């Protein structure tokens, strides 16, 4: 398998209800992960985009969180429909989606 051009990490951290930091699981990360998997499969992008679920990446209040490398761009408070925008504009088009990025003072 060739080295992918992009690597997408989706936080799937699950903490107990009422935890002070919250968790991406309670904000819909499973739906985000599934949408990335479905779109990568439907578009046959396995050689271009790697997808990995991960534990906490830090800014829990911004979940669901997604981190894209090699750029190190973090997206937060994502909805299912945002996944297609990220794939088309950033992962395939090379232009990060500014409106979905976590503020610079957080990441």
């Amino acid at each position: 398998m060739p080295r992918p051009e992009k690597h997408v990490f989706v936080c799937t951290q699950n903490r107990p209800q009422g935890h002070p930091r919250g968790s991406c699981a309670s904000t819909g990360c499973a739906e985000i992960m599934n949408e990335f998997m479905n779109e990568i499969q439907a578009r046959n992008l396995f050689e271009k985009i790697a997808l990995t679920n991960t534990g906490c990446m830090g800014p829990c209040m911004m979940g669901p969180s997604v981190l894209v490398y090699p750029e190190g761009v973090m997206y937060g408070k994502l909805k299912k429909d945002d996944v297609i925008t990220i794939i088309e504009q950033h992962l395939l088009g090379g232009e990060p989606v500014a409106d979905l990025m976590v503020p610079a003072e957080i990441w």
Side-chain angles (χ1 to χ4, degrees):
M1 179 174 158
R3 176 188 273 181
E5 297 170 18
K6 306 285 185 189
H7 197 152
V8 177
F9 295 88
V10 179
C11 178
T12 57
Q13 176 69 42
N14 189 9
R15 292 192 179 93
Q17 185 77 12
H19 190 282
R21 290 188 66 190
S23 72
C24 286
S26 67
T27 58
C29 67
E31 186 176 47
I32 301 301
M33 184 71 179
N34 288 336
E35 189 67 7
F36 269 110
M37 284 192 296
N38 291 340
E39 286 296 319
I40 288 169
Q41 183 175 1
R43 298 166 187 241
N44 196 26
L45 296 173
F46 299 110
E47 292 186 3
K48 290 186 173 203
I49 302 170
L51 179 64
T52 303
N53 64 323
T54 185
C56 186
M57 295 187 286
C60 304
M61 73 299 247
M62 297 299 296
S65 299
V66 168
L67 182 57
V68 177
Y69 276 105
E71 298 92 337
V73 171
M74 183 175 278
Y75 296 108
K77 296 192 180 272
L78 297 181
K79 304 290 182 232
K80 181 179 173 183
D81 293 342
D82 297 329
V83 171
I84 291 173
T85 303
I86 292 169
I87 289 173
E88 291 177 353
Q89 185 175 321
H90 185 172
L91 303 179
L92 298 176
E95 188 66 36
V97 186
D99 292 346
L100 300 176
M101 291 171 63
V102 169
E105 62 272 9
I106 295 174
W107 181 259

